[in-house]
Structure formats: C-alpha cells, structure tokens
Amino acid sequence: MGGGEGSCRDQHTAAPTPAPPPPSGARHRLVVAALMLSMALVALDSACVSTAVPQIVGELGGFSYFSWMFSGYLLAVTVTLPIYGKLADARGRKPVLLIGSSVFLFGSLLCAGAWSMGALIVFRLVQGLGGGAIQGTVQTLAADLYPLERRPRIQAAMSTVWAVSAVLGPALGGVLASYANWRWIFLINLPVGAIALLLLKRNLHEAQAEQQPRTRIDWLGAAGLFLTTSLLLFALVQGGVAWAWLSAPSLSVFAACAALGLGTFWVERRAAEPIMPGWVWRRRVIAGVNLALGFLGMLMIAPMVFLPTYAQSVLGLAPVAAGFVLSVWTISWPISAALSNRVYRRIGFRNTALIGATIGTALLLAFPLLPYRGAAWQPALLMLLLGGGLGLFQLPLIIGVQSSVPWHERGTATASVLFCRQVGQSVGGVLFAVIANTTLTSWLRDAPRGLRGSLPQGLDQIAGALLHGGSLSRAGTDYLRHALAAAVNHVYLGAAVAAALSVIVLATVTPKRFPLAEGN
C-alpha cells in the first residue's frame, strides 16, 4: 500500500483508467435531489418522533417500553447495513435503494395506523429494515456519481441534510403532534418518498451494474449476521435495564450471540461470496477506518445523549435553549467536511483524520474543566469546535475507503464503515450509561445525612427532581446538580478515551497512504 500521499498523490492499485466524467445536466441534478430527499426521510424521522413521544404515549400507552420505538428502529438499520451493501455490489445500487425506500414507506404507513405501542414498535422495525438500505446505498451512490475531487461536496450536502434535520425535525414533530396528529409524522413521509422514488426510477442509470456478472448471494450468512448482530444489540440495550448484567437472562443472550457468531463465521468462511468478506478486515485501510469510526460512534453518544440533560438540569436552560447548545455542532460539522478536501489533498486522508480526532480528544477533555453552572455559551463553543474537528475526522476516511475499492466492492466497504459506526454508538450508549449511573449512585450513597431523606431514591428520578423542583431544598438541589455534573464530566472523559483510541488506531493501524482503485 505504498505510494504517494493524499487524494492527488495516492497510489493506484492497478493501471489507472479514466475517471467517470463529473456529473452534469438536469438528470444528474435530479438524481442528487432524489438522494437528498431519501436521506432526509431517515434523518427527519427519529428527530420528529422524539418530540411527539408524549402524544404517542398518551394515545397508545406503553410508557414503560416506548424507548423501543427508537432502539428497535436503530437495531434494524444497523443489522441490515452489511446485507444491503453486499446486495448493492451484486445487484446494483438502484434496485436496492428502490426496494429499501419502498419498505421504509410501507413501514411509515403501518406506523401511521398503529393501534398500540407494541404494534408501533413492530412497524418501526419494518421502517428500519428499509432505512438500512437508504443510509448505506445513498452514501455509496454519492461516491459512484462523483469523481474523487468532487466527492466532498456531495458528502457535505448529505451531512447538511442531517444537520438541517437535527434542527428542524423536533420543531416539525412538535407542530404536527400539537396542531394535527402525531400520525402525520409518518404520513408526511409518503409524498416525499414517492417523489424520490419517481426521480430515481426515471433518472438513475447504472452502466456498471449491467456489466457485472451475476453472483450468488450468501443468504445463510446474511441470516446468521442478522441474528448475531440483533442478539448483540438486544443484549446491550436490555442489560442493566430489563435485567442485571450478570443475571441468567443476560448471560444466556450473550451466550446465544457467541454461538450464533461462531456459526456465522464458519458459514462465511466457506461461502463463495460472503456478506461480510474477509478482505474488509484484511486490508489495513478498511480495517483501520472501521475501528476508528467505531470509536467515533462511541464518542458521539456523550453529547447526543447527555448534553441536553446537563444543559437543562445543571445549567437550568429551557428545552429549546438546551437543544441549541447541542445543535451548534450540526453547523460546523458539514462546513468542516465540505472544506476537508483542501486539507487531505495536501496531507492525505489519514493525516487529515488524525488532526480531526486529536482536536476531538482535546475538546472532550476540556469539557470537565468548564466551571460548574457556567454560561451556556461555554459548552456551545466546545460543541461548535467539536463539530469542526469531527468533520475533518469522519468524511476523509469514508471518501478514502470508497476511493480505495473498485465499483463492485464499494457498497460492501461503505456498509462496513457505517455498520461499525452504528455498533460503536450502541456500545457507547451502554458504557456511558454505566459510567453515569455508577457516578450518580456513588453521590447518592455518599450524600450528607441531612440530605439523604429528601433526595430521590432512584436514578430515574434525579433529572425530573431537578427540572420540576418539588420537595427538594436548595441544598438538595445544588447537591444533585453537582452529582449530575460529575456524571456528565465522567462520561465526557470516557468519550475522550474513545477519541484517543481512534487516534492510536489511525496512527498505528491505518496506513499513511491510501491506495486508489481504478476509475477514481
């Protein structure tokens, strides 16, 4: 994997062939519009649904397990990413995206007609089965349509879709739930998705797909990978919540996951065209990026999950202001990603990502140094800078991996990267919840005797007690705020460790120079 450095200097894996011409004309613009609409479907969905939870639970009930509306959807997206990636390489991107979008829209229609929380959770799983196809295939098509030097623009445009959705999604969901009905959150997907499907059907043509020989799909391996990953994520989501980590149910699920994993490995080793081929982990470029973005997924959980609670319960901000503190990183992230090509064309993909990961590590370490109950602009500034660092971290690695493989491997390579990031988020959610709960439990246990009787007896009641006051004294409120601030600080330190591990992986596993495949 030797050769020059950066996108302009990287070594080709074979004799260079002419790169595809830059997209131009109305047809390409319509395809890009369809891709952005498709991505907006999955980006807006969860953001809108989260705001309407009170209305949904008020009508359907099921408060004790409503969180599976989100966990089930993410589980379905994650476990299907590698399968859709392989299908996109074997059968072409267009049919996978059309079928996946149709499944997502069918799931949206079912969700709109849900009669109970259990039914809604099942229908959200159906949505997720389609969402996995959209997320992976749109990213792959973006690399297919644009030559290397123009890929940051289209990838930054996709990041902008997520950024705008993060800001507008909660507001849109609140408006629909308050002034119409929460079911419209799902029904509104139908016309948007129909337009995207029509544009893709008429304007997307894949010459490469027609030239590829038909390959046999390893459906047994796909089923094994699906079940193994599902059990793993299920065990991680339920552990410490539905049962203790070392209880019989928890150990049984992990044991079943391990057994299925070994069986799937045995099947994949013998398959002619495995769903998760061995070269994904044998090639240092892809293996290093998979690990680095797995750690990226972990560190993202710290601000996404814990910062809004910190802003409301510790800083005393209103929900809208707390949301703004978090959302500022969605402004700097796509801007940094769009400009990253000016950096990696000079110093290379790996070194650009190293700069971003190092910046992220420093900023996460800086969070615990913020003054207790300081000004809101302080964490907001850190988030703004963090978004800029992560834009340099993620996008060059994704583009580098996509550029290192030929067309018939790009779907699998892209899916493996996104899959590892999603799994990293799931693992990060569990680890950081354990860190936060351990810290809070310690503070409650060690509380002064004069306060113990007035403090909440359970972890679930802490945020509510701070938000709604009640019988808490001023001293009790201040003590809980210190406890919650300490918990979030420890979570951010854990996220800094994940960021530092990504720096180590990039420096030691990921090669300094990325090869370029033909046609890039």
Side-chain angles (χ1 to χ4, degrees):
M1 293 190 181
E5 204 179 317
S7 69
C8 293
R9 306 176 187 175
D10 285 329
Q11 181 185 19
H12 288 259
T13 56
T17 58
S24 60
R27 175 166 291 176
H28 276 102
R29 287 193 293 269
L30 290 173
V31 170
V32 171
L35 295 182
M36 295 183 73
L37 284 175
S38 300
M39 190 63 83
L41 286 176
V42 295
L44 277 171
D45 187 75
S46 292
C48 290
V49 173
S50 62
T51 311
V53 165
Q55 289 80 5
I56 295 174
V57 172
E59 180 176 337
L60 301 181
F63 180 80
S64 61
Y65 54 95
F66 82 89
S67 62
W68 271 100
M69 279 196 302
F70 305 98
S71 300
Y73 175 83
L74 289 175
L75 186 150
V77 169
T78 302
V79 301
T80 54
L81 275 169
I83 299 171
Y84 285 127
K86 185 64 178 180
L87 288 173
D89 285 340
R91 299 291 187 262
R93 313 346 177 181
K94 183 176 180 177
V96 172
L97 185 53
L98 291 178
I99 293 173
S101 298
S102 300
V103 171
F104 183 89
L105 295 179
F106 179 62
S108 298
L109 183 61
L110 292 176
C111 288
W115 56 87
S116 67
M117 182 58 70
L120 182 58
I121 290 171
V122 172
F123 298 152
R124 286 281 287 168
L125 282 168
V126 176
Q127 261 195 317
L129 294 178
I134 295 173
Q135 284 198 31
T137 311
V138 166
Q139 294 276 11
T140 305
L141 270 170
D144 291 344
L145 291 172
Y146 284 84
L148 178 56
E149 62 272 12
R150 295 188 62 186
R151 282 176 195 161
R153 293 186 181 182
I154 182 62
Q155 294 285 6
M158 297 300 170
S159 298
T160 302
V161 171
W162 285 95
V164 173
S165 300
V167 176
L168 296 184
L172 178 61
V175 169
L176 290 175
S178 300
Y179 298 102
N181 187 282
W182 62 265
R183 298 177 189 274
W184 279 100
I185 292 173
F186 300 104
L187 290 174
I188 202 172
N189 291 335
L190 302 181
V192 176
I195 294 172
L197 284 173
L198 182 62
L199 291 176
L200 289 169
K201 177 70 174 176
R202 291 186 174 181
N203 298 287
L204 179 58
H205 301 288
E206 295 182 287
Q208 297 98 323
E210 298 171 0
Q211 298 168 3
Q212 293 298 316
R214 298 284 285 185
T215 56
R216 186 177 179 181
I217 302 298
D218 176 27
W219 293 112
L220 183 59
L225 183 64
F226 182 93
L227 292 174
T228 301
T229 312
S230 297
L231 273 181
L232 174 62
L233 296 181
F234 178 76
L236 292 175
V237 169
Q238 295 295 88
V241 179
W243 48 62
W245 285 105
L246 297 180
S247 64
S250 179
L251 295 177
S252 298
V253 175
F254 278 114
C257 176
L260 268 173
L262 289 174
T264 301
F265 178 77
W266 185 85
V267 170
E268 291 283 88
R269 282 288 301 271
R270 285 154 179 77
E273 291 290 338
I275 294 295
M276 186 69 81
W279 56 259
V280 167
W281 294 103
R282 286 195 299 268
R283 298 180 192 176
R284 285 183 60 199
V285 167
I286 303 176
V289 171
N290 282 345
L291 292 173
L293 290 191
F295 289 124
L296 171 65
M298 289 181 64
L299 71 89
M300 287 170 60
I301 288 296
M304 287 171 59
V305 174
F306 294 93
L307 185 59
T309 299
Y310 173 89
Q312 291 185 62
S313 300
V314 177
L315 301 183
L317 299 180
V320 174
F324 175 77
V325 171
L326 174 63
S327 66
V328 291
W329 77 338
T330 65
I331 299 172
S332 56
W333 191 318
I335 293 175
S336 172
L339 298 176
S340 65
N341 67 323
R342 300 187 181 185
V343 183
Y344 70 65
R345 293 183 71 178
R346 292 178 178 271
I347 65 174
F349 295 118
R350 197 282 302 265
N351 288 344
T352 304
L354 261 176
I355 293 173
T358 303
I359 292 172
T361 304
L363 292 169
L364 291 167
L365 285 172
F367 187 90
L369 302 178
L370 294 178
Y372 170 69
R373 300 213 74 190
W377 65 265
Q378 294 169 332
L381 177 61
L382 286 184
M383 290 303 300
L384 187 69
L385 297 174
L386 181 62
L390 298 186
L392 292 176
F393 180 2
Q394 176 178 266
L395 187 59
L397 294 180
I398 293 178
I399 293 177
V401 164
Q402 291 177 330
S403 303
S404 73
V405 295
W407 185 94
H408 65 276
E409 293 179 348
R410 190 172 292 148
T412 299
T414 302
S416 74
V417 168
L418 299 179
F419 173 78
C420 289
R421 190 185 65 186
Q422 293 283 100
V423 171
Q425 288 186 349
S426 299
V427 174
V430 172
L431 291 178
F432 296 153
V434 170
I435 291 173
N437 290 342
T438 301
T439 302
L440 291 172
T441 301
S442 175
W443 274 73
L444 290 177
R445 184 183 63 245
D446 299 334
R449 290 189 176 182
L451 294 177
R452 289 179 187 174
S454 62
L455 295 178
Q457 299 303 306
L459 298 176
D460 294 337
Q461 289 78 42
I462 291 178
L466 288 173
L467 289 175
H468 305 298
S471 59
L472 279 179
S473 64
R474 177 175 297 180
T477 299
D478 188 60
Y479 187 83
L480 284 185
R481 281 178 174 156
H482 271 96
L484 193 55
V488 176
N489 286 341
H490 290 168
V491 167
Y492 266 79
L493 288 175
V497 171
L501 289 174
S502 72
V503 172
I504 294 172
V505 167
L506 289 171
T508 59
V509 178
T510 310
K512 184 177 181 181
R513 301 173 178 121
F514 281 34
L516 291 185
E518 295 184 33
N520 283 289

